[in-house]
């Protein structure tokens, strides 16, 4: 005869309802935890890098508090023309609505460039 505790150790474990529920919840969260698409993050980073390059070169003669118009023109001449050309920013002016429009335009421009580069690589 085997002792009672030995029989319990040899028996295959039966998952309890709590254990099943915990595993189910973990599976749901694992499925929902998707990483963000990197496109928008990279685009913002590229835009930031471009602004820094412009601040160090083309717009270096302007005070950093008053160089937004120069930076916008340097980052993207096309987007600058679309958003600011008719009413340029004054030194130190902050226009959140037009800045958002400019950023959106630059993002679209960079996405378009990225697609063209990808198509060119695929066509080799």
């Amino acid at each position: 005869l085997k002792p009672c505790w030995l029989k319990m150790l040899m028996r295959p474990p039966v998952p309890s309802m709590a254990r099943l529920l915990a595993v189910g919840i973990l599976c749901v969260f694992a499925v929902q935890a998707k990483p963000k698409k990197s496109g928008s993050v990279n685009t913002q980073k590229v835009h930031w890098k471009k602004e820094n390059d412009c601040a160090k070169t083309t717009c270096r003669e302007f005070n950093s508090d008053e160089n937004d118009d120069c930076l916008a023109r340097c980052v993207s001449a096309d987007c600058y023309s679309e958003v600011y050309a008719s009413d340029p920013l004054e030194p130190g002016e902050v226009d959140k609505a037009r800045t958002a429009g400019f950023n959106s335009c630059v993002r679209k421009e960079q996405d378009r460039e990225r697609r063209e580069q990808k198509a060119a690589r695929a066509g080799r």
Side-chain angles (χ1 to χ4, degrees):
L1 287 171
K2 294 181 183 175
C4 181
W5 59 271
L6 188 58
K7 286 181 184 177
M8 288 188 346
L9 286 176
M10 296 181 74
R11 185 181 327 151
V14 178
S16 68
M17 285 301 274
R19 200 175 298 161
L20 285 174
L21 183 61
V23 169
I25 290 172
L26 287 173
C27 289
V28 168
F29 283 115
V31 169
Q32 291 178 351
K34 295 178 183 176
K36 289 183 178 181
K37 288 186 176 183
S38 61
S40 64
V41 173
N42 287 342
T43 303
Q44 289 173 353
K45 189 177 269 187
V46 169
H47 184 181
W48 178 81
K49 285 181 180 179
K50 219 170 185 180
E51 271 191 0
N52 277 349
D53 289 343
C54 290
K56 292 175 185 174
T57 57
T58 309
C59 304
R60 71 177 174 268
E61 298 164 5
F62 295 93
N63 184 314
S64 63
D65 293 338
E66 300 176 344
N67 67 351
D68 291 335
D69 192 63
C70 181
L71 290 176
R73 193 174 307 176
C74 178
V75 167
S76 171
D78 291 339
C79 292
Y80 177 86
S81 295
E82 184 179 315
V83 177
Y84 295 115
S86 63
D87 184 20
L89 287 172
E90 294 177 17
E93 179 184 0
V94 177
D95 186 333
K96 290 183 181 181
R98 290 197 297 163
T99 299
F102 177 79
N103 289 339
S104 175
C105 178
V106 172
R107 221 174 285 121
K108 289 175 187 173
E109 189 177 79
Q110 291 173 344
D111 288 345
R112 191 170 38 254
E113 289 172 4
R114 204 175 299 116
R115 281 193 305 273
E116 289 171 0
Q117 289 172 353
K118 191 174 181 180
R121 282 193 301 262
R124 285 186 202 172

